[in-house]
Amino acid sequence: MCAYAMGRIESTPKRIIFIVVWSLIVVFVMITADDIKPYLSNRTPRMMQNSADLYSHSSSWMGNTWITKGGRLYTPEQVHFAFANTTGCILFVGDSLGRRLSGALGTVLQTNITNTRDVDLATLKSNISPQYHGPHKWPFDHDKYCVHFHWSPKIEVLEKMVYELYEHDRFHYTAVVIAVGTHDVSSHAKRIDNSISMTQLYAANITSIIDGFTKRLSPVIWRTAPHSRRSDGFNHELSMFNTIASNICLSHPSHSCVVMDAETLMKNRSVGEHRIAGDSEYHFGEDGVMAMLQYLLFILFGTPSE
């Protein structure tokens, strides 16, 4: 009995130390919860997916202005603030639509928000128009974040480039925006060897690409390709490609792939007299590019705060 009592007494200091340490941990988590939550929301693809589903299917157009379900859009100041808090790099890989999207983001982030509240239209037009077919890094006067683009418009080429991209840049990308589809459908039209179906080929390439990026801990945002001024048959096959890619992305075992459904977003502004026309049958004008940029920002950061 005495030995039991002595054991209880000797163990009491250890219990007290444990309780004190545990209490300090709980208090620390409670104090820092507001700081931790934005970090997680900026990095976690499962949280990003909620925005991806919501804003492509629940938004509307007023003229050529895209309106979200809640009527909220990002201001230049909010874009700067969101990126400053992530301290990360965004990599765009793919076609000219992806290049123009990276140019729009680069333009917003290059805007000196201490001197103006507006993104200059002439600068925006200039930055989304260059026809460079290689790697490009948007220049900033700091290293808080970065926006990179790599020209790789076909999935079969991009599949071979995944390893090279990381070896060359040696960056850990906060997110990788993959923008392909249009050139793959164009290549299919010229394809002679039909020993393997295009559906099988698309699926194999897409899976390999997503595997390559997610294994390097970079969440993937797969942008579906919007319709062009090409034929209905071309756009139908493009939709097929988008469906295959979306299904693979959303079911990927890493849970680190999110769909940016630009096809649905731009559906009522892609064809006919309502198209927001750009400088080619595939490109969109500034309003269309900025709508896709706003959509991307919702996926990355959620709804902008008031």
Side-chain angles (χ1 to χ4, degrees), residues 6 21 33 45 58 103 140 146-147 171 182 219 241 250 279 283 296:
M6 288 298 293
V21 171
S58 302
F140 304 116
C146 59
V147 177
F171 280 95
T182 300
F241 178 95
L250 295 176
D279 56 7
H283 293 169
L296 174 61

mmCIF file of all heavy atoms in Angstrom, residues 6 21 33 45 58 103 140 146-147 171 182 219 241 250 279 283 296:
data_model
loop_
_atom_site.group_PDB
_atom_site.id
_atom_site.type_symbol
_atom_site.label_atom_id
_atom_site.label_comp_id
_atom_site.label_asym_id
_atom_site.label_seq_id
_atom_site.Cartn_x
_atom_site.Cartn_y
_atom_site.Cartn_z
ATOM 1 N N MET A 6 3.648 5.675 -2.832
ATOM 2 C CA MET A 6 4.886 6.344 -3.236
ATOM 3 C C MET A 6 4.975 6.452 -4.755
ATOM 4 O O MET A 6 5.426 7.453 -5.298
ATOM 5 C CB MET A 6 6.088 5.556 -2.682
ATOM 6 C CG MET A 6 6.275 5.675 -1.163
ATOM 7 S SD MET A 6 6.585 7.382 -0.653
ATOM 8 C CE MET A 6 8.193 7.615 -1.404
ATOM 9 N N VAL A 21 2.817 20.972 -20.745
ATOM 10 C CA VAL A 21 3.302 21.003 -22.135
ATOM 11 C C VAL A 21 2.139 20.883 -23.114
ATOM 12 O O VAL A 21 2.048 21.611 -24.102
ATOM 13 C CB VAL A 21 4.320 19.863 -22.378
ATOM 14 C CG1 VAL A 21 4.649 19.753 -23.862
ATOM 15 C CG2 VAL A 21 5.578 20.100 -21.573
ATOM 16 N N ALA A 33 -4.092 29.765 -35.255
ATOM 17 C CA ALA A 33 -5.038 29.124 -36.188
ATOM 18 C C ALA A 33 -5.340 29.993 -37.383
ATOM 19 O O ALA A 33 -5.423 29.533 -38.510
ATOM 20 C CB ALA A 33 -6.336 28.772 -35.451
ATOM 21 N N PRO A 45 -5.148 20.972 -52.416
ATOM 22 C CA PRO A 45 -5.989 20.817 -53.601
ATOM 23 C C PRO A 45 -7.432 20.468 -53.282
ATOM 24 O O PRO A 45 -8.333 20.841 -54.008
ATOM 25 C CB PRO A 45 -5.292 19.672 -54.347
ATOM 26 C CG PRO A 45 -3.862 19.754 -53.910
ATOM 27 C CD PRO A 45 -3.933 20.167 -52.473
ATOM 28 N N SER A 58 -21.564 28.050 -61.770
ATOM 29 C CA SER A 58 -22.535 28.926 -61.114
ATOM 30 C C SER A 58 -22.343 30.389 -61.471
ATOM 31 O O SER A 58 -22.979 31.254 -60.886
ATOM 32 C CB SER A 58 -22.433 28.760 -59.590
ATOM 33 O OG SER A 58 -22.646 27.417 -59.225
ATOM 34 N N GLY A 103 0.664 35.511 -68.966
ATOM 35 C CA GLY A 103 0.949 36.920 -69.236
ATOM 36 C C GLY A 103 0.010 37.849 -68.497
ATOM 37 O O GLY A 103 0.412 38.912 -68.002
ATOM 38 N N PHE A 140 10.077 40.259 -61.859
ATOM 39 C CA PHE A 140 9.619 41.064 -60.731
ATOM 40 C C PHE A 140 10.841 41.642 -60.026
ATOM 41 O O PHE A 140 11.939 41.102 -60.133
ATOM 42 C CB PHE A 140 8.792 40.220 -59.754
ATOM 43 C CG PHE A 140 7.619 39.523 -60.385
ATOM 44 C CD1 PHE A 140 7.545 38.143 -60.425
ATOM 45 C CD2 PHE A 140 6.589 40.256 -60.955
ATOM 46 C CE1 PHE A 140 6.470 37.493 -61.008
ATOM 47 C CE2 PHE A 140 5.499 39.622 -61.553
ATOM 48 C CZ PHE A 140 5.446 38.240 -61.579
ATOM 49 N N CYS A 146 6.977 33.929 -58.014
ATOM 50 C CA CYS A 146 7.382 33.954 -59.418
ATOM 51 C C CYS A 146 6.312 33.306 -60.281
ATOM 52 O O CYS A 146 5.499 32.500 -59.818
ATOM 53 C CB CYS A 146 8.728 33.268 -59.622
ATOM 54 S SG CYS A 146 8.774 31.554 -59.120
ATOM 55 N N VAL A 147 6.304 33.701 -61.548
ATOM 56 C CA VAL A 147 5.385 33.165 -62.549
ATOM 57 C C VAL A 147 6.226 32.722 -63.742
ATOM 58 O O VAL A 147 6.895 33.539 -64.374
ATOM 59 C CB VAL A 147 4.344 34.219 -62.994
ATOM 60 C CG1 VAL A 147 3.457 33.643 -64.096
ATOM 61 C CG2 VAL A 147 3.505 34.683 -61.804
ATOM 62 N N PHE A 171 12.984 24.452 -59.013
ATOM 63 C CA PHE A 171 12.003 25.129 -58.173
ATOM 64 C C PHE A 171 11.029 24.099 -57.618
ATOM 65 O O PHE A 171 10.761 23.078 -58.240
ATOM 66 C CB PHE A 171 11.208 26.164 -58.974
ATOM 67 C CG PHE A 171 11.918 27.464 -59.172
ATOM 68 C CD1 PHE A 171 12.639 27.699 -60.330
ATOM 69 C CD2 PHE A 171 11.854 28.468 -58.219
ATOM 70 C CE1 PHE A 171 13.287 28.910 -60.538
ATOM 71 C CE2 PHE A 171 12.497 29.676 -58.416
ATOM 72 C CZ PHE A 171 13.214 29.898 -59.571
ATOM 73 N N THR A 182 -5.882 21.594 -77.371
ATOM 74 C CA THR A 182 -6.172 22.066 -78.730
ATOM 75 C C THR A 182 -5.203 21.488 -79.749
ATOM 76 O O THR A 182 -5.612 20.993 -80.817
ATOM 77 C CB THR A 182 -6.116 23.609 -78.767
ATOM 78 O OG1 THR A 182 -7.086 24.133 -77.857
ATOM 79 C CG2 THR A 182 -6.399 24.122 -80.163
ATOM 80 N N PRO A 219 1.059 20.442 -56.727
ATOM 81 C CA PRO A 219 -0.347 20.260 -57.103
ATOM 82 C C PRO A 219 -0.579 20.677 -58.550
ATOM 83 O O PRO A 219 0.019 21.652 -59.025
ATOM 84 C CB PRO A 219 -1.094 21.184 -56.135
ATOM 85 C CG PRO A 219 -0.159 21.384 -54.984
ATOM 86 C CD PRO A 219 1.216 21.343 -55.574
ATOM 87 N N PHE A 241 -11.582 15.136 -75.255
ATOM 88 C CA PHE A 241 -10.262 15.217 -74.625
ATOM 89 C C PHE A 241 -10.388 15.812 -73.220
ATOM 90 O O PHE A 241 -9.810 15.308 -72.252
ATOM 91 C CB PHE A 241 -9.332 16.082 -75.479
ATOM 92 C CG PHE A 241 -7.952 16.272 -74.890
ATOM 93 C CD1 PHE A 241 -6.901 15.456 -75.270
ATOM 94 C CD2 PHE A 241 -7.699 17.262 -73.951
ATOM 95 C CE1 PHE A 241 -5.635 15.609 -74.730
ATOM 96 C CE2 PHE A 241 -6.443 17.433 -73.402
ATOM 97 C CZ PHE A 241 -5.406 16.609 -73.792
ATOM 98 N N LEU A 250 -9.425 14.216 -61.537
ATOM 99 C CA LEU A 250 -10.238 14.169 -60.318
ATOM 100 C C LEU A 250 -10.144 12.834 -59.585
ATOM 101 O O LEU A 250 -10.389 12.776 -58.379
ATOM 102 C CB LEU A 250 -11.699 14.476 -60.650
ATOM 103 C CG LEU A 250 -11.979 15.883 -61.164
ATOM 104 C CD1 LEU A 250 -13.442 16.036 -61.543
ATOM 105 C CD2 LEU A 250 -11.589 16.930 -60.120
ATOM 106 N N ASP A 279 -6.807 37.361 -81.381
ATOM 107 C CA ASP A 279 -6.064 37.581 -82.627
ATOM 108 C C ASP A 279 -5.893 36.308 -83.454
ATOM 109 O O ASP A 279 -5.118 36.287 -84.405
ATOM 110 C CB ASP A 279 -4.695 38.208 -82.318
ATOM 111 C CG ASP A 279 -3.873 37.377 -81.348
ATOM 112 O OD1 ASP A 279 -4.294 36.251 -81.018
ATOM 113 O OD2 ASP A 279 -2.809 37.849 -80.912
ATOM 114 N N HIS A 283 -7.592 32.089 -79.927
ATOM 115 C CA HIS A 283 -7.369 33.026 -78.833
ATOM 116 C C HIS A 283 -8.618 33.821 -78.467
ATOM 117 O O HIS A 283 -9.494 34.035 -79.303
ATOM 118 C CB HIS A 283 -6.254 34.017 -79.200
ATOM 119 C CG HIS A 283 -4.913 33.373 -79.322
ATOM 120 N ND1 HIS A 283 -3.822 34.021 -79.858
ATOM 121 C CD2 HIS A 283 -4.482 32.135 -78.974
ATOM 122 C CE1 HIS A 283 -2.780 33.209 -79.836
ATOM 123 N NE2 HIS A 283 -3.153 32.067 -79.308
ATOM 124 N N LEU A 296 -8.939 31.198 -62.154
ATOM 125 C CA LEU A 296 -7.736 30.575 -61.603
ATOM 126 C C LEU A 296 -7.453 31.079 -60.188
ATOM 127 O O LEU A 296 -7.082 30.306 -59.297
ATOM 128 C CB LEU A 296 -6.538 30.864 -62.510
ATOM 129 C CG LEU A 296 -5.166 30.396 -61.999
ATOM 130 C CD1 LEU A 296 -5.143 28.883 -61.819
ATOM 131 C CD2 LEU A 296 -4.063 30.844 -62.955
#
